[in-house]
mmCIF file of all heavy atoms in Angstrom:
data_model
loop_
_atom_site.group_PDB
_atom_site.id
_atom_site.type_symbol
_atom_site.label_atom_id
_atom_site.label_comp_id
_atom_site.label_asym_id
_atom_site.label_seq_id
_atom_site.Cartn_x
_atom_site.Cartn_y
_atom_site.Cartn_z
ATOM 1 N N GLY A 47 4.113 -86.562 140.250
ATOM 2 C CA GLY A 47 2.821 -87.020 139.768
ATOM 3 C C GLY A 47 2.888 -88.490 139.430
ATOM 4 O O GLY A 47 3.908 -88.984 138.948
ATOM 5 N N ALA A 48 1.796 -89.228 139.692
ATOM 6 C CA ALA A 48 1.752 -90.659 139.413
ATOM 7 C C ALA A 48 0.349 -91.038 138.988
ATOM 8 O O ALA A 48 -0.628 -90.658 139.644
ATOM 9 C CB ALA A 48 2.168 -91.466 140.643
ATOM 10 N N THR A 49 0.230 -91.781 137.895
ATOM 11 C CA THR A 49 -1.066 -92.270 137.421
ATOM 12 C C THR A 49 -0.941 -93.725 136.986
ATOM 13 O O THR A 49 0.106 -94.167 136.521
ATOM 14 C CB THR A 49 -1.605 -91.444 136.238
ATOM 15 O OG1 THR A 49 -0.718 -91.571 135.123
ATOM 16 C CG2 THR A 49 -1.755 -89.979 136.604
ATOM 17 N N VAL A 50 -2.047 -94.454 137.136
ATOM 18 C CA VAL A 50 -2.169 -95.822 136.637
ATOM 19 C C VAL A 50 -3.520 -95.918 135.943
ATOM 20 O O VAL A 50 -4.542 -95.554 136.530
ATOM 21 C CB VAL A 50 -2.082 -96.864 137.768
ATOM 22 C CG1 VAL A 50 -2.252 -98.277 137.202
ATOM 23 C CG2 VAL A 50 -0.765 -96.747 138.516
ATOM 24 N N GLY A 51 -3.539 -96.374 134.692
ATOM 25 C CA GLY A 51 -4.797 -96.429 133.962
ATOM 26 C C GLY A 51 -4.723 -97.413 132.806
ATOM 27 O O GLY A 51 -3.860 -98.292 132.761
ATOM 28 N N THR A 52 -5.647 -97.257 131.868
ATOM 29 C CA THR A 52 -5.706 -98.129 130.696
ATOM 30 C C THR A 52 -5.645 -97.274 129.436
ATOM 31 O O THR A 52 -5.711 -96.048 129.488
ATOM 32 C CB THR A 52 -7.007 -98.940 130.696
ATOM 33 O OG1 THR A 52 -8.130 -98.040 130.699
ATOM 34 C CG2 THR A 52 -7.081 -99.841 131.924
ATOM 35 N N LEU A 53 -5.513 -97.936 128.286
ATOM 36 C CA LEU A 53 -5.493 -97.210 127.022
ATOM 37 C C LEU A 53 -6.809 -96.480 126.795
ATOM 38 O O LEU A 53 -7.879 -96.953 127.176
ATOM 39 C CB LEU A 53 -5.256 -98.181 125.856
ATOM 40 C CG LEU A 53 -3.823 -98.573 125.535
ATOM 41 C CD1 LEU A 53 -3.818 -99.559 124.373
ATOM 42 C CD2 LEU A 53 -2.959 -97.370 125.213
ATOM 43 N N ASP A 54 -6.696 -95.327 126.176
ATOM 44 C CA ASP A 54 -7.868 -94.528 125.821
ATOM 45 C C ASP A 54 -8.589 -95.208 124.663
ATOM 46 O O ASP A 54 -8.080 -95.255 123.536
ATOM 47 C CB ASP A 54 -7.410 -93.121 125.426
ATOM 48 C CG ASP A 54 -8.575 -92.180 125.140
ATOM 49 O OD1 ASP A 54 -9.719 -92.652 125.020
ATOM 50 O OD2 ASP A 54 -8.318 -90.970 125.020
ATOM 51 N N GLU A 55 -9.778 -95.746 124.932
ATOM 52 C CA GLU A 55 -10.515 -96.458 123.891
ATOM 53 C C GLU A 55 -10.957 -95.531 122.765
ATOM 54 O O GLU A 55 -11.111 -95.968 121.625
ATOM 55 C CB GLU A 55 -11.722 -97.177 124.503
ATOM 56 C CG GLU A 55 -11.358 -98.320 125.431
ATOM 57 C CD GLU A 55 -10.539 -99.406 124.727
ATOM 58 O OE1 GLU A 55 -10.790 -99.672 123.534
ATOM 59 O OE2 GLU A 55 -9.647 -99.987 125.382
ATOM 60 N N GLU A 56 -11.164 -94.264 123.051
ATOM 61 C CA GLU A 56 -11.511 -93.320 121.985
ATOM 62 C C GLU A 56 -10.339 -93.157 121.015
ATOM 63 O O GLU A 56 -10.538 -93.045 119.797
ATOM 64 C CB GLU A 56 -11.903 -91.970 122.575
ATOM 65 C CG GLU A 56 -13.236 -91.980 123.304
ATOM 66 C CD GLU A 56 -13.660 -90.590 123.719
ATOM 67 O OE1 GLU A 56 -12.951 -89.616 123.371
ATOM 68 O OE2 GLU A 56 -14.700 -90.466 124.390
ATOM 69 N N ALA A 57 -9.116 -93.153 121.558
ATOM 70 C CA ALA A 57 -7.947 -93.063 120.689
ATOM 71 C C ALA A 57 -7.802 -94.323 119.843
ATOM 72 O O ALA A 57 -7.445 -94.257 118.657
ATOM 73 C CB ALA A 57 -6.696 -92.844 121.528
ATOM 74 N N VAL A 58 -8.101 -95.481 120.448
ATOM 75 C CA VAL A 58 -8.065 -96.730 119.687
ATOM 76 C C VAL A 58 -9.096 -96.691 118.563
ATOM 77 O O VAL A 58 -8.802 -97.057 117.413
ATOM 78 C CB VAL A 58 -8.331 -97.935 120.614
ATOM 79 C CG1 VAL A 58 -8.414 -99.228 119.796
ATOM 80 C CG2 VAL A 58 -7.238 -98.059 121.672
ATOM 81 N N PHE A 59 -10.309 -96.238 118.884
ATOM 82 C CA PHE A 59 -11.374 -96.148 117.874
ATOM 83 C C PHE A 59 -10.977 -95.205 116.741
ATOM 84 O O PHE A 59 -11.214 -95.501 115.559
ATOM 85 C CB PHE A 59 -12.673 -95.667 118.537
ATOM 86 C CG PHE A 59 -13.800 -95.469 117.561
ATOM 87 C CD1 PHE A 59 -14.540 -96.542 117.098
ATOM 88 C CD2 PHE A 59 -14.110 -94.197 117.086
ATOM 89 C CE1 PHE A 59 -15.565 -96.361 116.185
ATOM 90 C CE2 PHE A 59 -15.133 -93.993 116.178
ATOM 91 C CZ PHE A 59 -15.868 -95.087 115.721
ATOM 92 N N TYR A 60 -10.351 -94.092 117.087
ATOM 93 C CA TYR A 60 -9.943 -93.123 116.056
ATOM 94 C C TYR A 60 -8.956 -93.758 115.087
ATOM 95 O O TYR A 60 -9.094 -93.611 113.859
ATOM 96 C CB TYR A 60 -9.319 -91.897 116.718
ATOM 97 C CG TYR A 60 -8.755 -90.905 115.725
ATOM 98 C CD1 TYR A 60 -9.581 -89.984 115.095
ATOM 99 C CD2 TYR A 60 -7.395 -90.915 115.411
ATOM 100 C CE1 TYR A 60 -9.060 -89.086 114.166
ATOM 101 C CE2 TYR A 60 -6.867 -90.027 114.489
ATOM 102 C CZ TYR A 60 -7.710 -89.109 113.866
ATOM 103 O OH TYR A 60 -7.199 -88.229 112.940
ATOM 104 N N LEU A 61 -7.951 -94.457 115.618
ATOM 105 C CA LEU A 61 -6.960 -95.091 114.744
ATOM 106 C C LEU A 61 -7.589 -96.198 113.897
ATOM 107 O O LEU A 61 -7.239 -96.378 112.730
ATOM 108 C CB LEU A 61 -5.808 -95.643 115.575
ATOM 109 C CG LEU A 61 -4.910 -94.597 116.256
ATOM 110 C CD1 LEU A 61 -3.854 -95.279 117.106
ATOM 111 C CD2 LEU A 61 -4.251 -93.694 115.224
ATOM 112 N N ARG A 62 -8.518 -96.932 114.472
ATOM 113 C CA ARG A 62 -9.196 -97.975 113.696
ATOM 114 C C ARG A 62 -10.027 -97.363 112.573
ATOM 115 O O ARG A 62 -10.124 -97.936 111.483
ATOM 116 C CB ARG A 62 -10.074 -98.826 114.609
ATOM 117 C CG ARG A 62 -9.296 -99.675 115.608
ATOM 118 C CD ARG A 62 -10.196 -100.620 116.370
ATOM 119 N NE ARG A 62 -10.825 -101.582 115.453
ATOM 120 C CZ ARG A 62 -11.799 -102.412 115.825
ATOM 121 N NH1 ARG A 62 -12.252 -102.401 117.067
ATOM 122 N NH2 ARG A 62 -12.325 -103.247 114.946
ATOM 123 N N SER A 63 -10.587 -96.178 112.866
ATOM 124 C CA SER A 63 -11.384 -95.519 111.822
ATOM 125 C C SER A 63 -10.516 -95.026 110.675
ATOM 126 O O SER A 63 -11.029 -94.700 109.598
ATOM 127 C CB SER A 63 -12.157 -94.337 112.431
ATOM 128 O OG SER A 63 -11.286 -93.260 112.754
ATOM 129 N N ARG A 64 -9.201 -94.977 110.897
ATOM 130 C CA ARG A 64 -8.271 -94.572 109.842
ATOM 131 C C ARG A 64 -7.631 -95.776 109.151
ATOM 132 O O ARG A 64 -6.648 -95.643 108.443
ATOM 133 C CB ARG A 64 -7.175 -93.661 110.422
ATOM 134 C CG ARG A 64 -7.700 -92.318 110.952
ATOM 135 C CD ARG A 64 -8.373 -91.520 109.821
ATOM 136 N NE ARG A 64 -8.770 -90.188 110.231
ATOM 137 C CZ ARG A 64 -9.955 -89.877 110.754
ATOM 138 N NH1 ARG A 64 -10.857 -90.836 110.963
ATOM 139 N NH2 ARG A 64 -10.248 -88.636 111.068
ATOM 140 N N GLY A 65 -8.162 -96.963 109.427
ATOM 141 C CA GLY A 65 -7.744 -98.138 108.684
ATOM 142 C C GLY A 65 -6.847 -99.114 109.419
ATOM 143 O O GLY A 65 -6.486 -100.157 108.867
ATOM 144 N N LEU A 66 -6.429 -98.803 110.662
ATOM 145 C CA LEU A 66 -5.585 -99.727 111.414
ATOM 146 C C LEU A 66 -6.421 -100.819 112.065
ATOM 147 O O LEU A 66 -7.571 -100.593 112.444
ATOM 148 C CB LEU A 66 -4.804 -98.982 112.490
ATOM 149 C CG LEU A 66 -3.748 -97.972 112.026
ATOM 150 C CD1 LEU A 66 -3.067 -97.349 113.233
ATOM 151 C CD2 LEU A 66 -2.710 -98.623 111.134
ATOM 152 N N SER A 67 -5.835 -101.997 112.210
ATOM 153 C CA SER A 67 -6.498 -103.051 112.974
ATOM 154 C C SER A 67 -6.485 -102.701 114.452
ATOM 155 O O SER A 67 -5.712 -101.828 114.894
ATOM 156 C CB SER A 67 -5.789 -104.382 112.751
ATOM 157 O OG SER A 67 -4.487 -104.345 113.330
ATOM 158 N N ASP A 68 -7.293 -103.397 115.237
ATOM 159 C CA ASP A 68 -7.322 -103.132 116.673
ATOM 160 C C ASP A 68 -5.952 -103.396 117.295
ATOM 161 O O ASP A 68 -5.464 -102.599 118.103
ATOM 162 C CB ASP A 68 -8.381 -104.016 117.342
ATOM 163 C CG ASP A 68 -8.495 -103.746 118.831
ATOM 164 O OD1 ASP A 68 -9.121 -102.740 119.205
ATOM 165 O OD2 ASP A 68 -7.943 -104.541 119.623
ATOM 166 N N LYS A 69 -5.304 -104.496 116.876
ATOM 167 C CA LYS A 69 -3.983 -104.827 117.420
ATOM 168 C C LYS A 69 -2.956 -103.769 117.055
ATOM 169 O O LYS A 69 -2.162 -103.335 117.905
ATOM 170 C CB LYS A 69 -3.553 -106.192 116.899
ATOM 171 C CG LYS A 69 -2.203 -106.649 117.430
ATOM 172 C CD LYS A 69 -1.848 -108.035 116.903
ATOM 173 C CE LYS A 69 -0.494 -108.488 117.427
ATOM 174 N NZ LYS A 69 -0.143 -109.856 116.904
ATOM 175 N N ALA A 70 -2.971 -103.332 115.781
ATOM 176 C CA ALA A 70 -1.994 -102.331 115.346
ATOM 177 C C ALA A 70 -2.233 -100.994 116.025
ATOM 178 O O ALA A 70 -1.281 -100.281 116.378
ATOM 179 C CB ALA A 70 -2.054 -102.174 113.831
ATOM 180 N N ALA A 71 -3.500 -100.630 116.217
ATOM 181 C CA ALA A 71 -3.820 -99.360 116.868
ATOM 182 C C ALA A 71 -3.308 -99.345 118.307
ATOM 183 O O ALA A 71 -2.700 -98.366 118.755
ATOM 184 C CB ALA A 71 -5.325 -99.120 116.830
ATOM 185 N N ARG A 72 -3.537 -100.438 119.023
ATOM 186 C CA ARG A 72 -3.082 -100.504 120.414
ATOM 187 C C ARG A 72 -1.556 -100.513 120.508
ATOM 188 O O ARG A 72 -0.978 -99.867 121.392
ATOM 189 C CB ARG A 72 -3.677 -101.736 121.103
ATOM 190 C CG ARG A 72 -5.195 -101.654 121.242
ATOM 191 C CD ARG A 72 -5.798 -102.892 121.901
ATOM 192 N NE ARG A 72 -7.244 -102.780 121.914
ATOM 193 C CZ ARG A 72 -7.954 -102.122 122.835
ATOM 194 N NH1 ARG A 72 -7.309 -101.539 123.845
ATOM 195 N NH2 ARG A 72 -9.255 -102.054 122.765
ATOM 196 N N ALA A 73 -0.913 -101.233 119.597
ATOM 197 C CA ALA A 73 0.555 -101.269 119.602
ATOM 198 C C ALA A 73 1.132 -99.887 119.341
ATOM 199 O O ALA A 73 2.123 -99.485 119.967
ATOM 200 C CB ALA A 73 1.055 -102.273 118.567
ATOM 201 N N LEU A 74 0.536 -99.142 118.408
ATOM 202 C CA LEU A 74 1.026 -97.800 118.092
ATOM 203 C C LEU A 74 0.877 -96.869 119.284
ATOM 204 O O LEU A 74 1.789 -96.083 119.598
ATOM 205 C CB LEU A 74 0.262 -97.242 116.888
ATOM 206 C CG LEU A 74 0.719 -95.875 116.371
ATOM 207 C CD1 LEU A 74 2.165 -95.936 115.880
ATOM 208 C CD2 LEU A 74 -0.201 -95.398 115.245
ATOM 209 N N LEU A 75 -0.246 -96.962 119.983
ATOM 210 C CA LEU A 75 -0.460 -96.114 121.162
ATOM 211 C C LEU A 75 0.501 -96.473 122.288
ATOM 212 O O LEU A 75 1.022 -95.590 122.983
ATOM 213 C CB LEU A 75 -1.911 -96.232 121.632
ATOM 214 C CG LEU A 75 -2.964 -95.595 120.724
ATOM 215 C CD1 LEU A 75 -4.367 -95.979 121.183
ATOM 216 C CD2 LEU A 75 -2.815 -94.080 120.688
ATOM 217 N N VAL A 76 0.761 -97.753 122.473
ATOM 218 C CA VAL A 76 1.696 -98.178 123.518
ATOM 219 C C VAL A 76 3.106 -97.699 123.201
ATOM 220 O O VAL A 76 3.817 -97.181 124.076
ATOM 221 C CB VAL A 76 1.658 -99.710 123.674
ATOM 222 C CG1 VAL A 76 2.858 -100.199 124.491
ATOM 223 C CG2 VAL A 76 0.371 -100.142 124.355
ATOM 224 N N ASP A 77 3.527 -97.843 121.936
ATOM 225 C CA ASP A 77 4.855 -97.371 121.549
ATOM 226 C C ASP A 77 5.004 -95.869 121.801
ATOM 227 O O ASP A 77 6.023 -95.404 122.319
ATOM 228 C CB ASP A 77 5.120 -97.681 120.079
ATOM 229 C CG ASP A 77 5.376 -99.157 119.837
ATOM 230 O OD1 ASP A 77 5.556 -99.899 120.825
ATOM 231 O OD2 ASP A 77 5.387 -99.572 118.665
ATOM 232 N N GLY A 78 3.989 -95.113 121.419
ATOM 233 C CA GLY A 78 4.038 -93.669 121.650
ATOM 234 C C GLY A 78 4.076 -93.312 123.119
ATOM 235 O O GLY A 78 4.767 -92.376 123.536
ATOM 236 N N PHE A 79 3.347 -94.082 123.918
ATOM 237 C CA PHE A 79 3.334 -93.874 125.369
ATOM 238 C C PHE A 79 4.726 -94.089 125.957
ATOM 239 O O PHE A 79 5.221 -93.269 126.750
ATOM 240 C CB PHE A 79 2.327 -94.832 125.988
ATOM 241 C CG PHE A 79 2.268 -94.814 127.484
ATOM 242 C CD1 PHE A 79 1.649 -93.777 128.161
ATOM 243 C CD2 PHE A 79 2.824 -95.836 128.224
ATOM 244 C CE1 PHE A 79 1.589 -93.768 129.555
ATOM 245 C CE2 PHE A 79 2.773 -95.845 129.600
ATOM 246 C CZ PHE A 79 2.152 -94.798 130.265
ATOM 247 N N LEU A 80 5.407 -95.164 125.565
ATOM 248 C CA LEU A 80 6.742 -95.449 126.092
ATOM 249 C C LEU A 80 7.775 -94.439 125.598
ATOM 250 O O LEU A 80 8.724 -94.112 126.310
ATOM 251 C CB LEU A 80 7.170 -96.867 125.718
ATOM 252 C CG LEU A 80 6.344 -97.989 126.345
ATOM 253 C CD1 LEU A 80 6.796 -99.344 125.815
ATOM 254 C CD2 LEU A 80 6.436 -97.962 127.866
ATOM 255 N N ARG A 81 7.560 -93.922 124.388
ATOM 256 C CA ARG A 81 8.487 -92.926 123.855
ATOM 257 C C ARG A 81 8.415 -91.606 124.619
ATOM 258 O O ARG A 81 9.298 -90.752 124.478
ATOM 259 C CB ARG A 81 8.234 -92.693 122.369
ATOM 260 C CG ARG A 81 8.712 -93.800 121.452
ATOM 261 C CD ARG A 81 10.231 -93.939 121.458
ATOM 262 N NE ARG A 81 10.905 -92.726 121.032
ATOM 263 C CZ ARG A 81 11.194 -92.425 119.774
ATOM 264 N NH1 ARG A 81 10.859 -93.266 118.798
ATOM 265 N NH2 ARG A 81 11.821 -91.309 119.470
ATOM 266 N N GLU A 82 7.386 -91.411 125.433
ATOM 267 C CA GLU A 82 7.353 -90.224 126.290
ATOM 268 C C GLU A 82 8.505 -90.242 127.281
ATOM 269 O O GLU A 82 8.979 -89.187 127.720
ATOM 270 C CB GLU A 82 6.020 -90.147 127.053
ATOM 271 C CG GLU A 82 4.808 -89.868 126.181
ATOM 272 C CD GLU A 82 3.533 -89.834 126.989
ATOM 273 O OE1 GLU A 82 3.611 -89.856 128.238
ATOM 274 O OE2 GLU A 82 2.454 -89.786 126.386
ATOM 275 N N ALA A 83 8.966 -91.437 127.642
ATOM 276 C CA ALA A 83 10.100 -91.552 128.568
ATOM 277 C C ALA A 83 11.429 -91.504 127.829
ATOM 278 O O ALA A 83 12.359 -90.820 128.252
ATOM 279 C CB ALA A 83 9.989 -92.840 129.376
ATOM 280 N N ILE A 84 11.549 -92.256 126.734
ATOM 281 C CA ILE A 84 12.783 -92.303 125.951
ATOM 282 C C ILE A 84 12.477 -91.631 124.623
ATOM 283 O O ILE A 84 12.085 -92.273 123.637
ATOM 284 C CB ILE A 84 13.266 -93.750 125.715
ATOM 285 C CG1 ILE A 84 13.226 -94.545 127.030
ATOM 286 C CG2 ILE A 84 14.667 -93.747 125.113
ATOM 287 C CD1 ILE A 84 14.170 -94.075 128.097
ATOM 288 N N ALA A 85 12.640 -90.325 124.571
ATOM 289 C CA ALA A 85 12.126 -89.545 123.442
ATOM 290 C C ALA A 85 13.060 -89.537 122.242
ATOM 291 O O ALA A 85 12.596 -89.504 121.104
ATOM 292 C CB ALA A 85 11.842 -88.106 123.884
ATOM 293 N N ASP A 86 14.386 -89.534 122.465
ATOM 294 C CA ASP A 86 15.285 -89.381 121.314
ATOM 295 C C ASP A 86 15.360 -90.670 120.517
ATOM 296 O O ASP A 86 15.339 -91.779 121.060
ATOM 297 C CB ASP A 86 16.682 -88.941 121.772
ATOM 298 C CG ASP A 86 17.408 -90.027 122.536
ATOM 299 O OD1 ASP A 86 17.037 -90.273 123.714
ATOM 300 O OD2 ASP A 86 18.314 -90.643 121.974
ATOM 301 N N ASP A 87 15.452 -90.542 119.203
ATOM 302 C CA ASP A 87 15.394 -91.688 118.306
ATOM 303 C C ASP A 87 16.555 -92.653 118.531
ATOM 304 O O ASP A 87 16.363 -93.879 118.540
ATOM 305 C CB ASP A 87 15.400 -91.212 116.844
ATOM 306 C CG ASP A 87 14.132 -90.471 116.467
ATOM 307 O OD1 ASP A 87 13.111 -90.683 117.161
ATOM 308 O OD2 ASP A 87 14.149 -89.688 115.505
ATOM 309 N N GLU A 88 17.763 -92.110 118.715
ATOM 310 C CA GLU A 88 18.923 -92.978 118.896
ATOM 311 C C GLU A 88 18.774 -93.823 120.172
ATOM 312 O O GLU A 88 19.005 -95.028 120.157
ATOM 313 C CB GLU A 88 20.205 -92.153 118.964
ATOM 314 C CG GLU A 88 21.459 -92.991 119.069
ATOM 315 C CD GLU A 88 22.574 -92.352 119.884
ATOM 316 O OE1 GLU A 88 22.445 -91.181 120.253
ATOM 317 O OE2 GLU A 88 23.551 -93.046 120.146
ATOM 318 N N GLY A 89 18.408 -93.155 121.253
ATOM 319 C CA GLY A 89 18.241 -93.873 122.525
ATOM 320 C C GLY A 89 17.149 -94.926 122.441
ATOM 321 O O GLY A 89 17.314 -96.054 122.927
ATOM 322 N N ALA A 90 16.016 -94.584 121.815
ATOM 323 C CA ALA A 90 14.918 -95.534 121.695
ATOM 324 C C ALA A 90 15.320 -96.744 120.863
ATOM 325 O O ALA A 90 14.927 -97.884 121.163
ATOM 326 C CB ALA A 90 13.703 -94.839 121.084
ATOM 327 N N ALA A 91 16.109 -96.507 119.800
ATOM 328 C CA ALA A 91 16.547 -97.607 118.949
ATOM 329 C C ALA A 91 17.542 -98.504 119.686
ATOM 330 O O ALA A 91 17.431 -99.741 119.657
ATOM 331 C CB ALA A 91 17.177 -97.070 117.678
#
């Protein structure tokens, strides 16, 4: 399977509604996205 897309703006809006800035919300989503590949904490660190 292969996909190419952009960040889910609804997810960004949800995080902003919980008090995060737009920059912080996008950074958190990107970090979580990359952690799908490198899931274990030691390896990611």
Side-chain angles (χ1 to χ4, degrees):
T49 63
V50 179
T52 59
L53 277 179
D54 184 348
E55 293 301 324
E56 290 187 4
V58 175
F59 177 80
Y60 175 82
L61 292 177
R62 293 187 63 189
S63 72
R64 295 300 186 270
L66 294 181
S67 67
D68 182 78
K69 181 178 180 180
R72 294 179 184 276
L74 184 62
L75 290 171
V76 166
D77 287 349
F79 176 75
L80 295 176
R81 286 294 300 272
E82 292 179 9
I84 313 295
D86 69 286
D87 292 338
E88 183 213 352

